[in-house]
Amino acid sequence: MGSRGDVQPYLALARGLMAAGHRPLLAAPRRFGPLAAAHEVEFAPLTDEMLALQDTVRGQGVRAAITAAGAVKPMLRRLLDDQAALTAGPADVVVYHPKSLGGPYVAEKLGVPALAGLLLPLYLPTAAFPSPILPVRVPRALNRASWRISSAVEAPYRGTVREWRAGPLGLRGRCRPVADLVRAGGVLHAWSPYLLPAPADWPADAQPTGFWTLPTPGGWTPPERLARFLEDGDPPVYVGFGSSYSGDAERLTATVLEAVRLTGRRAILATGWGALRQGSEPDGVLMIDEAPHDWLLPRVAAAVHHGGIGTVAAALRAGVPQVIRPFLGDQPFWADRLHRIGVAPAPVTGRLTPGKLAAAVEASAVLASAARALAAQVGAEDGVTTAVARIARAKGARGPAPRTDGDTSPLP
């Protein structure tokens, strides 16, 4: 459940399972049905009402967000009911994104193992660093305590999940927090250990697998104007902020264009996710809707983006330095990690100005060789194959899913 950045790694995992002779079923918001079909993956549509609501209120202020909040619980119940329907068919194992909320209970109903597939560290506490979703910095001594925020995030929905678990699924007993279920059932951490190695206080089976990468479907051809622009000069700077920014898109676009002018570089602006706005193209600038990152980023000089893990992974594989302007969630965490491993200057924070962004782009140039060296290491990983092997072991070596109510008696 979530945006394309949440769903696409699961699609990559499904492709890897198919290649290994398994039959995966991808359950995700219905808007991603065509994407699954393009990769020939069997698909079960889930309601995407909550994504549509997000799209509607984005950028409309606090009042709109508060008004929309009242509609969330009925939408969540319909999402959970769609997941309950999945229990009508057989399965050997459930791999779930925590945003789905229902994944571990679907596994309990089916009597099969459940593995959380995490795109960021979320549920296994560590003293090495604070929770990536913590909105403020804390002293190192509070790092482990900060991980309690994961349970707080799900608290408003726990009553709805509890009623659903007892109703359509017919499961008895106490409804445990997702954090407890992740620790009991196991986890697949879908990022590169070169970006973030497992801290020493994590269990051995929590080692990162490497990124779950979805190759561009064969035969993708760039539009003529994009191909011609790349051929007509030095490698440009790529700029794209996904859908994270909820402010004034025109103002952000103007800031970016002025920053590009100050650097004297060519640039490609990707506007398709809403943070940037299509408009006039100054000399040396090309605006596009979107293009596959694994095709485009190896052809640019640097990638300026919001710090979403999907774009982070693509830029690491491409071997280009990154300039991060984080906006929300885990983006500041990944921005800090990229800076620490030497492939990005310090994150651009605070009020965004053309001068600050231009200075960061210029600072990224000296990091190009480090980015290329790291790309060789990340490129040698095969996160999907590693994850598929762990799933197969979970299927073969473990019994049914642990009772989510904590009861150790046999499942009915």
Side-chain angles (χ1 to χ4, degrees):
M1 184 62 195
S3 67
R4 178 165 176 162
D6 294 297
V7 173
Q8 188 162 301
Y10 275 75
L11 186 56
L13 180 62
R15 289 287 304 178
L17 286 162
M18 290 170 62
H22 303 287
R23 182 184 173 188
L25 172 67
L26 176 66
R30 65 177 66 253
R31 65 179 61 184
F32 299 111
L35 181 64
H39 290 272
E40 301 179 322
V41 169
E42 189 175 353
F43 185 76
L46 305 177
T47 177
D48 59 1
E49 293 174 295
M50 289 169 62
L51 293 183
L53 182 65
Q54 281 182 315
D55 295 341
T56 300
V57 303
R58 181 177 288 119
Q60 294 189 18
V62 174
R63 178 175 295 181
I66 293 174
T67 301
V72 168
K73 286 189 178 179
M75 291 180 179
L76 173 60
R77 179 54 191 264
R78 289 190 286 272
L79 171 65
L80 291 169
D81 286 344
D82 283 352
Q83 292 176 63
L86 300 172
T87 64
D92 298 304
V93 64
V94 172
V95 180
Y96 66 94
H97 193 301
K99 284 185 183 180
S100 70
L101 293 178
Y105 310 110
V106 168
E108 181 187 5
K109 178 67 175 180
L110 291 168
V112 300
L115 293 170
L118 301 184
L119 310 181
L120 69 154
L122 199 58
Y123 288 112
L124 295 185
T126 176
F129 50 83
S131 169
I133 61 174
L134 196 70
V136 295
R137 290 184 177 272
V138 297
R140 185 178 177 87
L142 297 179
N143 279 354
R144 180 173 286 275
S146 73
W147 290 78
R148 296 173 188 162
I149 193 173
S150 298
S151 293
V153 169
E154 70 180 86
Y157 313 116
R158 201 168 290 152
T160 302
V161 174
R162 186 186 306 115
E163 293 172 4
W164 166 80
R165 178 181 174 273
L169 291 188
L171 296 172
R172 303 185 300 272
R174 183 172 61 91
C175 185
R176 295 164 65 193
V178 171
D180 291 353
L181 301 178
V182 170
R183 288 191 287 270
V187 63
L188 299 168
H189 283 142
W191 64 80
S192 170
Y194 290 105
L195 173 62
L196 179 67
D201 52 359
W202 274 4
D205 61 0
Q207 296 290 328
T209 64
F211 294 116
W212 298 352
T213 303
L214 184 67
T216 301
W220 189 84
T221 302
E224 182 181 348
R225 63 193 299 266
L226 173 57
R228 188 168 60 248
F229 182 83
L230 290 167
E231 293 170 358
D232 282 349
D234 293 335
V237 172
Y238 167 86
V239 184
F241 295 112
S243 59
S244 298
Y245 184 66
S246 60
D248 187 337
E250 291 186 1
R251 181 174 179 178
L252 179 59
T253 304
T255 298
V256 168
L257 289 174
E258 177 60 12
V260 169
R261 188 192 68 78
L262 290 174
T263 66
R265 293 169 177 262
R266 299 181 342 123
I268 293 175
L269 275 60
T271 65
W273 295 275
L276 298 175
R277 186 66 50 83
Q278 287 277 2
S280 60
E281 298 174 333
D283 288 345
V285 172
L286 178 71
M287 292 188 176
I288 63 172
D289 182 29
E290 61 177 315
H293 281 158
D294 61 346
W295 184 92
L296 178 58
L297 294 189
R299 294 168 167 82
V300 304
V304 180
H305 62 95
H306 54 299
I309 188 59
T311 313
V312 166
L316 284 174
R317 292 192 302 271
V320 296
Q322 305 182 51
V323 174
I324 313 299
R325 174 45 166 112
F327 293 104
L328 50 82
D330 57 321
Q331 295 165 9
F333 177 80
W334 295 124
D336 179 69
R337 285 302 307 166
L338 292 168
H339 180 50
R340 287 173 181 267
I341 64 176
V343 296
V348 182
T349 57
R351 180 172 175 269
L352 184 63
T353 65
K356 287 169 69 172
L357 186 56
V361 171
E362 291 303 312
S364 72
V366 299
L367 305 175
S369 60
R372 287 193 296 270
L374 188 59
Q377 296 173 305
V378 172
E381 297 173 337
D382 189 343
V384 166
T385 296
T386 299
V388 168
R390 291 191 190 176
I391 293 168
R393 287 200 298 271
K395 170 189 170 185
R398 291 166 49 195
R403 292 287 292 260
T404 61
D405 60 5
D407 190 340
T408 57
S409 61
L411 286 164

